[in-house]
Amino acid sequence: MNKFKLQTLSGMHDILPDDQKYYQRVQKAIDSVVKYYGFEKIETPILEMAEVFYKGTGVTTDVVGKEMYSFKTKGGDIVALRPEFTPSIARSYIENGMHNLPQPVKLYAVGPCFRYERPQAGRYRQFEQLDLEVLGDSNPSIDGQIIQMSYDILKDLGFKNASIQVNSIGDSECRPYFKKILTSYLKSKKSSLCSDCQRRLKENPLRVLDCKEEKCQVVKAGAPQIVDHLCEACHAHFKQVLEFLDELELPYELNPYLVRGLDYYTKTVFEIIDKDENGISLGSLFGGGRYDGLVKILGGRDTPACGVACGIDRIVSIIRSKDVKTAKVEEPEIFMAQLGQMAKRKSLKLFEEFRKAKIPMAESFSKDSLRAQLRSANKMGAKWVLIFGQKEALENFVTVRDMKTGTQQEIALDKVVEEMKKKLAKK
Ligand code: HAM
């Protein structure tokens, strides 16, 4: 019995060669959308000062309070593995003086994030996120555009039952007042709330609204709704966002319970969830919203902003089960088979000449038997096999076998790249 088994940490997973085609398919969908909408790529360090997330995401949020991987370095700094991109990108916007660029600044990032969550289907402790951010624009059309882009990516990937849930959670003008009336309502129902919500009542009463516990549903149903208490500016903004969504003919639903679990949101919040054929939610694929106060909280100027992030692994696990078409891996049409030491030596050089000529070629230098090599060539569906044996190596030629007809032809070694190029162009 092997007592000491080395394996991935709980909630972390290898992305194996067989998985790559799905990740590449998602990346392709992302690339075409971000390029079209003029987003530029940004990369920020995986490790940041923990303060960026304490201040940005918020210390009382689950993401920071319960799930963030943070530790003290040898130099005594408290650092964290990023649980999300938004505060890092806002930090970079400030640090690199991006307010001096023409506004808005449209950025996207793709990379790993870390959250110490309870692992389950589609929920990992290390997961790949796509993040889109538009900084420096308060116009509701930006909110609409971000939602449209998210929806476009899912449509490209064959998602048919994606549903957009939207809400507005107001701003520093109207939310404190709403919090007061919500708190007094929730206090009157305190004993009917789950233990988590009894705690949330003190720290962040809004989070009670998106509690999934059975016990809290009745309390939620009778709770006041924030959309009825928005200030004039937030109300007008939300109305315009919805008008954009109508214009774009996006299938959205108003969800008064959607508050999102991160502290920085103001005004619009939204999620795109996948539903099964019976309309049952399969979880959130995209989540985002407006965060007009974050850049200032992190020490920058007043900068309105809006963005979204999606869990790529979650999308991959769904498209894998839906069997979404991924790009076929192009197999080379030429296979090189070699026999004997001298041929093996020389075939490495010939292989390199084909690479320089940008002609794809497969090989199996590690196999010695011609039969085994021809079997590999057949399996791959190669059209031609270049046979390079002892005689060929001594007399500087290559035997080219047409795999369909079985005919063979001898071609001088210094002509073979050119000749194969012609054959490829002819077919
Ligand atoms: P979030 O809702 O925390 O928002 O995460 C966005 C998406 O990341 C989720 O909808 C989900 O697909 C994916 N995700 C989150 N946690 C996990 C996990 N443990 N395993 C797999 N996937 C996961 C944010 O992160 C905000 N930064 C979004 C944003 C950008 N808001 C404004 N700009």
Side-chain angles (χ1 to χ4, degrees), residues 63 83-86 115 117 122-125 127 129 131-133 260 262 264-265 271 284-289 291 306-311 313-314:
V63 170
E84 55 149 339
F85 279 100
T86 312
R115 295 184 191 177
E117 290 195 80
R123 180 172 296 164
Y124 304 100
R125 288 182 174 168
F127 57 99
Q129 253 197 4
D131 186 86
L132 304 171
E133 308 291 358
R260 309 264 305 131
L262 314 168
Y264 45 69
Y265 289 116
E271 277 184 6
S284 135
L285 300 176
F286 279 79
Y291 53 98
C306 185
V308 68
C310 99
D313 315 77
R314 228 171 244 193

Side-chain angles (χ1 to χ4, degrees), residues 105-118:
V105 176
K106 298 177 174 183
L107 301 168
Y108 79 97
V110 177
C113 293
F114 302 81
R115 295 184 191 177
Y116 196 82
E117 290 195 80
R118 198 157 53 82

Side-chain angles (χ1 to χ4, degrees), residues 359-416:
I359 302 176
M361 185 155 77
E363 47 72 30
S364 61
F365 291 131
S366 58
K367 286 202 178 102
D368 287 330
S369 116
L370 183 62
R371 260 181 67 189
Q373 294 184 67
L374 288 178
R375 218 179 299 127
S376 306
N378 228 336
K379 213 167 134 196
M380 246 180 54
K383 285 204 169 68
W384 298 278
V385 176
L386 308 190
I387 302 170
F388 201 46
Q390 195 69 4
K391 186 162 185 277
E392 282 88 349
L394 273 172
E395 296 174 19
N396 287 324
F397 74 92
V398 175
T399 301
V400 179
R401 182 187 177 96
D402 184 319
M403 292 296 277
K404 204 163 158 199
T405 61
T407 52
Q408 300 201 157
Q409 179 192 2
E410 293 178 0
I411 302 178
L413 199 53
D414 58 353
K415 299 268 181 328
V416 70

